[in-house]
Amino acid sequence: AQSVTQLDSHVSVSEGTPVLLRCNYSSSYSPSLFWYVQHPNKGLQLLLKYTSAATLVKGINGFEAEFKKSETSFHLTKPSAHMSDAAEYFCVVTASDTGRRALTFGSGTRLQVQP
Amino acid sequence: ETGVTQSPTHLIKTRGQQVTLRCSSQSGHNTVSWYQQALGQGPQFIFQYYREEENGRGNFPPRFSGLQFPNYSSELNVNALELDDSALYLCASSQDRGGVYEQYFGPGTRLTVT
């Protein structure tokens, strides 16, 4: 079994300030973790992925995330927010147990960026 | 390289009707997954197809069914539509090489059941 908890449903930051979106996961197997972003009326875009290589993962648009097994966390960060970062962000876990590799999504964090 | 495409973009149906949604995979991908995203929620896994066989299913009733074709495109069929089936339906394709892989999503089909 696997699950994801996104600790904040809404996060508001000012443009140019750091972004932190928090995610905790639970998995019976070694997990792979992803962050996806969804802009209004658009599909989901992959930001970055962790698949048991380096624990600090760099993604697109300046985002990065750190896998911490001891804390079962995979928080998403960005040093400086841009107005275009305003969107819904989903933390996602998958684990291959019976061969099924379904993605399990968190409930999402809506990021607002104030000018 | 063509991305994942879905049709139609929007659809309005009446309770009790049947609907078919379509998805074309990204070039080179052999696996298709379908997700339902209700308003304000994260996507929920419906099922996955690999080489034309169902490869896993989420907690959805049998009236949700699917097909994958030899060209790896896919259909999602929903019978006896209910009001709660109103949602954004997302298709995702991936290339299964036996390890963990990322899924690439289409723009979705917005289904409204009245």
Side-chain angles (χ1 to χ4, degrees):
Chain A
Q2 55 198 31
S3 66
V4 172
T5 302
Q6 292 185 243
L7 300 170
D8 306 290
S9 58
H10 290 87
V11 169
S12 182
V13 301
S14 298
E15 190 174 22
T17 64
V19 175
L20 170 64
L21 305 183
R22 298 182 296 164
C23 171
N24 287 115
Y25 71 91
S26 172
S27 177
S28 303
Y29 298 84
S30 295
S32 289
L33 294 154
F34 308 83
W35 277 96
Y36 281 84
V37 61
Q38 187 174 38
H39 288 92
N41 300 317
K42 293 199 173 180
L44 290 153
Q45 180 184 20
L46 178 67
L47 276 179
L48 49 80
K49 64 177 180 179
Y50 165 78
T51 56
S52 75
T55 57
L56 183 62
V57 181
K58 293 188 183 299
I60 62 172
N61 300 335
F63 285 95
E64 62 181 39
E66 186 172 8
F67 174 73
K68 292 187 177 180
K69 186 176 180 179
S70 60
E71 299 177 10
T72 61
S73 70
F74 190 58
H75 301 334
L76 181 71
T77 60
K78 183 174 181 177
S80 176
H82 191 272
M83 295 296 291
S84 61
D85 294 329
E88 188 86 20
Y89 290 79
F90 292 98
C91 182
V92 180
V93 65
T94 187
S96 176
D97 46 1
T98 60
R100 193 189 84 185
R101 299 180 180 87
L103 301 182
T104 299
F105 283 75
S107 55
T109 298
R110 181 162 298 278
L111 175 65
Q112 287 184 308
V113 182
Q114 309 291 342
Chain B
E1 185 179 88
T2 306
V4 179
T5 60
Q6 293 185 243
S7 63
T9 307
H10 295 87
L11 202 52
I12 300 174
K13 289 286 189 177
T14 303
R15 189 171 50 184
Q17 287 188 315
Q18 178 266 342
V19 68
T20 297
L21 310 182
R22 295 179 175 83
C23 170
S24 291
S25 300
Q26 186 166 315
S27 177
H29 287 184
N30 59 10
T31 303
V32 173
S33 304
W34 285 92
Y35 295 82
Q36 180 195 65
Q37 186 178 18
L39 202 60
Q41 298 182 22
Q44 300 286 318
F45 174 70
I46 303 175
F47 44 56
Q48 183 181 87
Y49 279 82
Y50 171 66
R51 294 185 175 178
E52 302 177 55
E53 298 275 338
E54 189 178 288
N55 188 39
R57 189 178 185 92
N59 293 325
F60 281 82
R63 59 189 185 84
F64 286 78
S65 63
L67 284 172
Q68 187 183 30
F69 300 100
N71 66 354
Y72 302 129
S73 65
S74 178
E75 286 183 355
L76 164 66
N77 299 291
V78 187
N79 293 322
L81 283 167
E82 301 177 0
L83 296 179
D84 285 348
D85 295 333
S86 295
L88 181 67
Y89 288 85
L90 295 163
C91 166
S93 75
S94 50
Q95 177 62 20
D96 188 345
R97 301 182 189 91
V100 180
Y101 52 89
E102 57 267 33
Q103 297 183 13
Y104 294 90
F105 285 81
T109 293
R110 173 77 60 189
L111 173 64
T112 302
V113 182
T114 62

